[in-house]
Amino acid sequence: MKPEQINNLIAFDKKHIWHPYTSMTNPLPAIPVVAAQGCELELADGRKLIDGMSSWWCAIHGYNHPELNAAAKTQIDKMSHVMFGGITHPSAVTLAEKLLAITPEPLQHIFFADSGSVSVEVAIKMALQYHHASGNKSKRRLLTVRKGYHGDTFAAMSVCDPVTGMHQIFADVVTKQYFAEQPTCRFDQPYDPQSITDIQRQLELYHENIAAVIIEPVVQGAGGMWFYHGDYLKDLRRLCDEYNVLLIFDEIATGFGRSGKLFACQWPDISPDIMCVGKSLTAGYMTLVAVLATTKVAHGISADSGVFMHGPTFMANPLACAVAIANLEILEQNRWPAQVENIKKLLTEGLEPCKTIPGVKDVRTLGAIGVVETENPVNVAKLQEFFVKNNVWIRPFNNLIYLMPPYIITNDQLNYLTEVIQKALQANLHQ
Ligand SMILES: *Cc1c(COP(=O)(O)O)cnc(C)c1O
């Protein structure tokens, strides 16, 4: 694009279009991207940035992937969409078959919806309706842990961290839920059974009001990029059963290999009652989520002859389902475990030197996720400018500079990403 066109585009965008968590009056700069290929984003002025973000956990196989493109094109020539009320289609059925085959065995029923936040709404609704139908009319609240993130719609907001979450201004409007301490026991340390005591106490005290526990298994994402011990979830599973409380896993960020297992719940090897998957379900092509439930939940919801009260317009959108099938076929080729393992190794080596830089609090890696946590919130605008100048795309938030690259990233690209982070920290841009 010509410089003048680019300036006009940026000016119009700045004046009229909201970006995520951004002010309309004083927005952070938005950088025009016109194409993307492999692990690179192409800017309007022709520059290319190495992508360290996978477009927020999604683009696991990189951009403009021939097999994913072909799946979308084949489907679009048949039909882009058809209503799911009273109709089904091969793409939805094939995708459901494939998902059920790779997720924990007790999960046998699928609800397709259109965004992560909506899937959390659906999961919560399932839990509430399940207890309602089985006569436990007092079970109307959720229990969760601090520092979680589950999305931006109202029920999802109610289970995000109440303090550091992005939704404090709605505190008086959203449903009051129960919050236990964040699981403190690090993933890479021996399990400390003490870390379960707070949530155990809350279950003891309030179980009669609690329909479900909702939690991101092993990796707390947007609430702080924290990795905790899988055995915590074993204890939690046992406690939920003891108190007739359903267990919901939000695997929207962790699903499809990111944590080093296909699903993070496979670290402790347990099954939730309800599970949300999204983000990389279509490998970053379009928005699609699935809520999976056990037969106990799915049949329980209709124990009073009721129907499950949800039905999005674009439910099981065929285009999105077709791309998701192609994504799962690529994952079935089983290159991802070695890719993720290699990314973990290079992230660990590449970020390790950051530990000794002043202002850095912690460095941690798990699967294809690398995190540098700083003492204080970083200046996002300053860092973003530095990163783009150095031809990388890394988007820090709060006190976190992190990488979760596409699985297909090359060693050179990945080493370059960690080098640029080191340079930014050495230049003291985070303080
Ligand atoms: C991103 C995310 C969501 C929300 O998904 P959207 O598609 O942005 O609505 C919910 N839970 C977790 C764990 C996420 O990472």
Side-chain angles (χ1 to χ4, degrees):
M1 285 169 79
K2 294 198 188 93
E4 192 195 313
Q5 284 176 308
I6 299 175
N7 288 339
N8 289 344
L9 183 146
I10 291 173
F12 188 94
D13 178 279
K14 186 172 175 186
K15 189 168 172 201
H16 295 286
I17 307 177
W18 262 294
H19 285 259
Y21 315 108
T22 303
S23 159
M24 189 55 81
T25 52
N26 184 26
L28 287 173
I31 296 146
V33 170
V34 293
Q37 175 70 45
C39 284
E40 287 183 337
L41 307 179
E42 185 187 327
L43 306 191
D45 62 11
R47 278 182 297 161
K48 288 184 177 155
L49 308 184
I50 299 172
D51 176 33
M53 306 307 300
S54 302
S55 286
W56 277 341
W57 316 79
C58 296
I60 53 178
H61 309 303
Y63 301 89
N64 218 348
H65 192 287
E67 288 161 51
L68 299 170
N69 286 8
K73 286 173 185 165
T74 306
Q75 179 66 52
I76 209 168
D77 285 336
K78 292 182 193 154
M79 63 181 172
S80 304
H81 184 65
V82 63
M83 65 187 279
F84 214 50
I87 289 173
T88 191
H89 54 81
S91 295
V93 175
T94 304
L95 177 58
E97 276 174 352
K98 282 186 178 293
L99 276 174
L100 293 179
I102 57 174
T103 46
E105 216 274 326
L107 302 169
Q108 286 298 323
H109 308 270
I110 291 198
F111 190 101
F112 289 113
D114 31 26
S115 83
S117 302
V118 170
S119 78
V120 168
E121 303 284 326
V122 168
I124 290 174
K125 226 188 226 186
M126 281 181 180
L128 295 176
Q129 220 183 312
Y130 168 82
H131 286 295
H132 186 269
S134 49
N136 294 309
K137 309 260 168 179
S138 67
K139 285 184 175 279
R140 306 305 282 165
R141 290 287 179 274
L142 279 292
L143 168 60
T144 186
V145 293
R146 291 181 186 275
K147 299 288 169 74
Y149 176 77
H150 298 284
D152 297 340
T153 52
F154 273 84
M157 278 200 290
S158 77
V159 286
C160 289
D161 187 278
V163 183
T164 64
M166 309 172 198
H167 312 301
Q168 303 97 312
I169 30 173
F170 302 106
D172 57 335
V173 186
V174 300
T175 309
K176 293 263 177 290
Q177 313 287 19
Y178 296 99
F179 287 89
E181 291 310 317
Q182 179 183 34
T184 45
C185 189
R186 288 180 78 104
F187 182 87
D188 54 8
Q189 302 276 313
Y191 179 55
D192 174 8
Q194 278 294 105
S195 57
I196 200 77
T197 49
D198 189 47
I199 202 162
Q200 175 162 13
R201 186 182 57 88
Q202 307 234 13
L203 279 164
E204 273 163 20
L205 287 172
Y206 309 120
H207 64 93
E208 281 174 12
N209 303 328
I210 297 171
V213 169
I214 180 165
I215 191 166
E216 297 153 276
V218 178
V219 178
Q220 289 187 293
M225 306 294 285
W226 174 246
F227 313 140
Y228 65 91
H229 204 289
D231 284 3
Y232 177 94
L233 299 168
K234 281 189 190 163
D235 279 344
L236 187 58
R237 174 74 273 180
R238 181 177 44 76
L239 290 165
C240 284
D241 289 341
E242 193 175 319
Y243 290 110
N244 189 23
V245 165
L246 296 177
L247 181 57
I248 303 171
F249 280 171
D250 179 347
E251 289 250 13
I252 293 166
T254 45
F256 309 103
R258 182 60 66 178
S259 78
K261 299 276 186 191
L262 198 51
F263 296 97
C265 66
Q266 291 166 340
W267 282 108
D269 193 21
I270 58 166
S271 175
D273 301 291
I274 302 171
M275 180 161 119
C276 301
V277 297
K279 286 203 161 98
S280 55
L281 174 57
T282 63
Y285 267 57
M286 53 197 95
T287 180
L288 178 72
V289 295
V291 185
L292 296 95
T294 61
T295 300
K296 176 179 103 170
V297 171
H299 289 188
I301 285 169
S302 298
D304 61 356
S305 311
V307 296
F308 181 57
M309 290 309 294
H310 212 95
T313 307
F314 285 95
M315 190 166 185
N317 172 251
L319 259 184
C321 288
V323 176
I325 292 166
N327 170 38
L328 296 186
E329 282 168 354
I330 296 170
L331 290 171
E332 280 161 17
Q333 294 163 8
N334 223 32
R335 286 189 302 264
W336 69 267
Q339 289 169 332
V340 169
E341 184 64 36
N342 183 53
I343 292 171
K344 167 156 168 86
K345 183 170 155 274
L346 295 190
L347 283 175
T348 306
E349 290 166 7
L351 295 177
E352 182 74 21
C354 300
K355 270 188 181 156
T356 52
I357 297 173
V360 172
K361 191 174 166 197
D362 188 34
V363 173
R364 50 185 179 264
T365 53
L366 176 68
I369 315 166
V371 182
V372 177
E373 183 178 338
T374 55
E375 304 275 1
N376 299 309
V378 300
N379 183 332
V380 175
K382 222 163 64 174
L383 271 172
Q384 185 176 296
E385 196 191 337
F386 178 84
F387 288 142
V388 173
K389 217 178 263 166
N390 283 277
N391 304 313
V392 300
W393 180 240
I394 301 168
R395 172 100 173 154
F397 73 95
N398 202 1
N399 59 339
L400 300 161
I401 305 168
Y402 64 99
L403 294 172
M404 37 198 194
Y407 301 167
I408 57 153
I409 195 162
T410 66
N411 289 0
D412 285 349
Q413 286 173 322
L414 191 50
N415 289 334
Y416 184 69
L417 284 171
T418 55
E419 259 166 48
V420 174
I421 289 182
Q422 278 188 44
K423 257 196 236 163
L425 293 167
Q426 273 152 2
N428 212 24
L429 291 175
H430 58 300
Q431 309 246 42

